[in-house]
Amino acid sequence: MKKLLAFLMAFCVIGSVIAGCGGGDKKDAKPAEGGKKFLNIATGGTAGTYYPLGGALADILNKNVPGANASAQSTGASVANVNLLKDGKVDIAFIQNDIAYYAVNGVEMFKDKKVGNLKGLATLYPETIQIVTTKKTGIKTLADIKGKRVAVGAAGSGTEANARQILAEAGITYKDIKVQYLSFGEAASALKDGNVDVGFVTAGHPTAAIQDLSTQHDVVLVPVDAAMADKLIAKYPFYTKVVIPANTYNKVAADTPAVAVRCMLAVTDKMDADTGYAVVKALYTNLDRMKAAHNVGKNITKASAKDGMSIPLNAGAEKFFNEK
């Protein structure tokens, strides 16, 4: 009996020690796990602008935000990225500010598919709506586009919405033109071959496809003047005024006034204010890394970070931008 009692007591002591060690491990594991901030960043195709910038942003966050474990992934860009945010598959996304506006308001390609919980972190750089034609078409103004063959962007794309909105301000509907739903690469090829008269291209300038076109044809950029731009901005807050500088493209010797949407960083209301603050602070105190990643990085500034902001800001981002 004594032997049995001694055995049971020894078993209990050993059990207590094991339980105590196990409990200690659990306590240590929780803070380590809780201290990690996993930040998945949605970009775009590997050949585009968003992808290298996303990689640079991930690098900045990993080096400057305590506990950050950030990674960038290639995606289908703006519209796909909104859906990835909505589904909780990513935490931060590069998207165009007009696409963010459509999502939050449930219009255009998000009609009946509203994503109301998007928040902005910052707008980064302009993606210019370039209205491109060739000298032989005789097109010089928006009014000249009536009756012409027009590449308006892929069906349901952000570019197509830009084309429709700008043409409407010029008093032109799709009934007045011969519509071609072509991506900007396809539009440039069709212009080269003479199969369309004018193409809408929404992309940071200079755009490789237009540069290529300008080596073989005399390219003409159709201007959007200040009065037209003001009307557009009054109706659609995501537009901003830009100038495409002279000589951006071969033989285009004058500045061209235009409008642009802006690349932006978006999150959802699941990102807390402290994380939002930490992300934008890390970004705007390490802009050299973004400049090194892509030429458009030179356009990313704190001063322009709210230009064209088309959705409500994350509270932490708002706090950062309001600091002197």
Side-chain angles (χ1 to χ4, degrees):
M1 190 68 173
K2 283 181 183 176
K3 284 182 181 177
L4 179 60
L5 282 170
F7 174 78
L8 289 172
M9 285 176 71
F11 183 80
C12 287
V13 169
I14 292 166
S16 298
V17 170
I18 291 169
C21 292
D25 283 347
K26 282 177 185 170
K27 282 177 191 170
D28 291 342
K30 268 190 174 176
E33 192 176 324
K36 280 285 180 194
K37 287 189 180 81
F38 290 96
L39 296 167
N40 295 317
I41 303 167
T43 63
T46 54
T49 308
Y50 291 178
Y51 186 72
L53 290 178
L57 178 61
D59 187 41
I60 288 169
L61 299 183
N62 287 331
K63 289 176 179 173
N64 296 279
V65 177
N69 188 336
S71 59
Q73 63 188 67
S74 174
T75 69
S78 293
V79 175
N81 289 353
V82 170
N83 290 319
L84 289 169
L85 281 171
K86 179 192 73 176
D87 295 339
K89 292 179 179 174
V90 298
D91 306 287
I92 302 171
F94 285 75
I95 56 177
Q96 286 178 198
N97 64 338
D98 54 338
I99 304 298
Y101 178 89
Y102 301 147
V104 166
N105 291 283
V107 296
E108 295 290 353
M109 67 286 291
F110 289 97
K111 193 169 191 291
D112 303 322
K113 294 179 285 186
K114 184 174 176 178
V115 185
N117 68 335
L118 291 187
K119 301 288 181 186
L121 286 182
T123 65
L124 303 180
Y125 62 88
E127 299 200 53
T128 309
I129 294 91
Q130 300 167 83
I131 309 169
V132 189
T133 185
T134 56
K135 194 173 181 180
K136 65 183 180 184
T137 66
I139 297 169
K140 294 178 182 174
T141 68
L142 285 168
D144 297 335
I145 291 175
K146 194 171 277 193
K148 303 296 186 181
R149 299 167 298 169
V150 185
V152 296
S157 67
T159 300
E160 190 270 322
N162 299 147
R164 187 165 14 88
Q165 291 157 3
I166 291 168
L167 288 170
E169 286 306 315
I172 298 170
T173 71
Y174 280 5
K175 291 178 182 176
D176 302 317
I177 59 175
K178 299 177 181 74
V179 175
Q180 304 284 323
Y181 293 102
L182 302 174
S183 70
F184 68 73
E186 293 168 337
S189 295
L191 279 164
K192 203 182 290 183
D193 299 337
N195 293 326
V196 299
D197 301 304
V198 61
F200 281 76
V201 176
T202 300
H205 60 265
T207 304
I210 303 173
Q211 283 178 312
D212 181 51
L213 176 68
S214 73
T215 63
Q216 299 176 44
H217 296 271
D218 290 340
V219 161
V220 174
L221 298 177
V222 179
V224 176
D225 64 34
M228 173 81 68
D230 287 337
K231 286 199 290 180
L232 272 168
I233 293 165
K235 195 178 285 188
Y236 306 107
F238 44 79
Y239 283 116
T240 57
K241 293 179 187 175
V242 293
V243 172
I244 304 170
N247 303 311
T248 296
Y249 300 110
N250 187 38
K251 295 184 182 176
V252 181
D255 289 352
T256 306
V259 290
V261 291
R262 286 179 68 82
C263 165
M264 68 177 289
L265 292 176
V267 296
T268 68
D269 56 8
K270 290 176 186 170
M271 179 171 284
D272 62 87
D274 288 345
T275 304
Y277 181 91
V279 169
V280 293
K281 183 178 181 182
L283 170 61
Y284 284 96
T285 50
N286 293 278
L287 287 177
D288 285 351
R289 180 69 183 84
M290 300 298 274
K291 289 174 188 171
H294 195 282
N295 189 45
V296 299
K298 69 180 185 293
N299 298 314
I300 303 173
T301 67
K302 185 177 178 181
S304 64
K306 293 200 287 184
D307 290 357
M309 178 55 70
S310 55
I311 59 176
L313 269 174
N314 168 279
E318 183 79 77
K319 178 185 172 186
F320 176 77
F321 294 129
N322 286 338
E323 289 177 348
K324 298 296 181 188

